[in-house]
Amino acid sequence: MNTRRTRHTAILLKNGKVLVAGGSDRHSCVFSSELYDSKTGNWTSTGNMSINRCEHTMSALTNGKVLVAGGDTSFVEIYDPTLGIWTTIERMHTTRLGHTASTLADGKLLVAGGETDSAEIYDPLTGNWTVTDRMHRQRYQHIAAVLTNGKVLVAGGSEVDYEGITNSCELYDSSAKMWTTTREMSHRRMQHTALVLANGKVLVTGGYDDTRKYLKSAELYDPLTETWTTTGNMSFPRAEHTASLLRNGKVLVSGGLAKNLIRYSTELYDVATGIWTVGNNMNHVRTFHTATELENGDVLVAGGSEGDKSAELYVSPKKTLATINKINNLSNGYKAPVTKKVLNKDGHNNTIGSNKYS
């Protein structure tokens, strides 16, 4: 990338490019944004946001534009991929940091928490924010997942910073405009991940608990019974990691933090067996990075680790050959482009256009 970033956001645009915005460059939060073109493997700068942002949210709207909200502010702006510019819109009612944003079935956006128990909804048709029912507790660095029944599951998080870490969960019903409590997770967690699987269940992994312990446990939420069941543990404890659902149905987990150790390891979860297997290591350690699935099923991992510029691809295991711009470290420090790498059955990580040569 052109800028060092951690605690940033990334999203796949309708044109196939990936938009990355904000984050910390190791010294402060930034307002810059850039685009990754998977066809060329190159990064290009695009319009700047109006303010610096970290721990904000990024959401795709039905019209192809992208909405960014919060980041220790109530300011909101929209990115137009056609024009390459950001436009500020009506502010949220509450300043938010480490919150969640979920796209509802009707195209509206539910924003919840962020060192508060409040929630509000953005309507793209009117451009207005409306305050909705409050959650049952204050949440920060929690997760939110849109279930197949249209409800939104919110789980875990802390009240502020690392205080008040919880295992409590609740559901938002957009038709009733209400939050209701549901079963608690087995572990208190913050900085964890959540993915909706093809079978409709939600897989939650890792995180940091109230005993100052990094977790390797994972559990599944079943919307039909509203219950949690434990599943196989990851090989390594991790928080501030990413989780991606691959085209073959497996889940890829990458990077993260455990005590003073920033990880470059990855693991794959087999939904059918509930077992984790260790995958190929990334080329860089990463925490608070982003992982974005591309149109071809590959996963673009970018930034993290105290504001790293580098990015790399996890190539989909469905393909046996990939032609991408790979960068290898040679003994003299020079990095040479390589193409056509044969992949193993679990895919392969390839460093791409990092603009980092030291």
Side-chain angles (χ1 to χ4, degrees):
M1 294 185 290
N2 296 292
T3 303
R4 299 178 187 274
R5 301 179 194 274
T6 186
R7 300 173 186 261
H8 53 293
T9 53
I11 201 166
L12 181 68
L13 304 176
K14 285 188 175 181
N15 60 14
K17 295 182 179 180
V18 176
L19 172 67
V20 171
S24 170
D25 66 358
R26 190 182 297 176
H27 303 292
S28 63
C29 297
V30 301
F31 57 77
S32 66
S33 58
E34 49 192 304
L35 296 166
Y36 173 73
D37 188 333
S38 59
K39 295 179 181 178
T40 64
N42 294 328
W43 292 90
T44 56
S45 298
T46 187
N48 291 332
M49 296 184 291
S50 61
I51 60 172
N52 301 336
R53 297 180 192 269
C54 294
E55 294 188 53
H56 49 293
T57 55
M58 179 181 278
S59 307
L61 303 178
T62 54
N63 59 8
K65 296 180 180 181
V66 175
L67 183 144
V68 162
D72 206 16
T73 181
S74 61
F75 280 85
V76 182
E77 44 198 313
I78 287 180
Y79 178 77
D80 187 331
T82 304
L83 302 176
I85 60 173
W86 294 89
T87 304
T88 55
I89 61 170
E90 179 181 315
R91 295 168 60 172
M92 295 184 292
H93 293 84
T94 303
T95 294
R96 301 182 189 276
L97 175 74
H99 51 293
T100 56
S102 307
T103 302
L104 305 177
D106 58 5
K108 294 179 181 179
L109 192 67
L110 170 69
V111 171
E115 299 186 336
T116 176
D117 62 354
S118 69
E120 48 194 305
I121 291 179
Y122 175 75
D123 188 338
L125 298 180
T126 64
N128 296 329
W129 289 92
T130 303
V131 175
T132 189
D133 189 32
R134 287 183 176 272
M135 295 185 292
H136 291 81
R137 65 172 295 130
Q138 186 168 306
R139 297 183 191 270
Y140 166 69
Q141 290 187 354
H142 51 291
I143 62 89
V146 181
L147 306 178
T148 52
N149 60 13
K151 294 182 179 181
V152 178
L153 169 71
V154 165
S158 66
E159 291 184 348
V160 59
D161 290 332
Y162 294 94
E163 301 300 322
I165 300 173
T166 183
N167 60 346
S168 71
C169 305
E170 44 195 307
L171 296 167
Y172 181 76
D173 186 332
S174 58
S175 58
K177 296 182 173 58
M178 288 180 56
W179 292 93
T180 56
T181 57
T182 186
R183 292 288 183 85
E184 297 177 339
M185 295 184 291
S186 302
H187 293 272
R188 302 177 189 269
R189 305 176 191 266
M190 67 179 296
Q191 299 172 347
H192 46 304
T193 63
L195 274 179
V196 179
L197 305 176
N199 59 14
K201 295 181 179 180
V202 180
L203 173 68
V204 166
T205 67
Y208 184 76
D209 73 8
D210 57 327
T211 66
R212 303 298 186 261
K213 178 183 177 182
Y214 290 89
L215 303 172
K216 62 179 179 180
S217 63
E219 46 192 308
L220 294 164
Y221 179 78
D222 188 337
L224 297 179
T225 60
E226 294 192 10
T227 56
W228 291 91
T229 55
T230 57
T231 186
N233 287 339
M234 295 185 292
S235 302
F236 306 103
R238 57 184 88 222
E240 304 171 9
H241 53 295
T242 59
S244 307
L245 184 62
L246 304 177
R247 298 283 175 88
N248 62 3
K250 293 185 178 182
V251 174
L252 170 70
V253 163
S254 66
L257 180 69
K259 294 185 179 178
N260 296 322
L261 176 67
I262 301 175
R263 298 197 182 280
Y264 59 87
S265 65
T266 69
E267 329 192 17
L268 292 162
Y269 177 74
D270 189 322
V271 177
T273 63
I275 296 174
W276 292 89
T277 56
V278 176
N280 293 312
N281 289 335
M282 295 184 292
N283 296 283
H284 293 258
V285 295
R286 301 183 189 277
T287 181
F288 272 130
H289 50 295
T290 55
T292 310
E293 184 184 356
L294 305 180
E295 288 182 318
N296 62 3
D298 295 347
V299 178
L300 172 70
V301 174
S305 175
E306 297 183 355
D308 193 348
K309 279 186 180 182
S310 71
E312 48 192 305
L313 284 175
Y314 179 86
V315 180
S316 171
K318 280 193 172 182
K319 289 180 285 186
T320 57
L321 192 67
T323 303
I324 64 172
N325 178 22
K326 179 179 178 181
I327 305 296
N328 278 341
N329 285 317
L330 304 184
S331 58
N332 62 3
Y334 175 72
K335 297 183 176 180
V338 178
T339 59
K340 294 187 178 179
K341 177 70 179 181
V342 177
L343 311 178
N344 66 24
K345 64 178 181 179
D346 289 326
H348 188 91
N349 292 316
N350 297 271
T351 304
I352 57 175
S354 66
N355 291 327
K356 182 179 180 181
Y357 292 90
S358 60

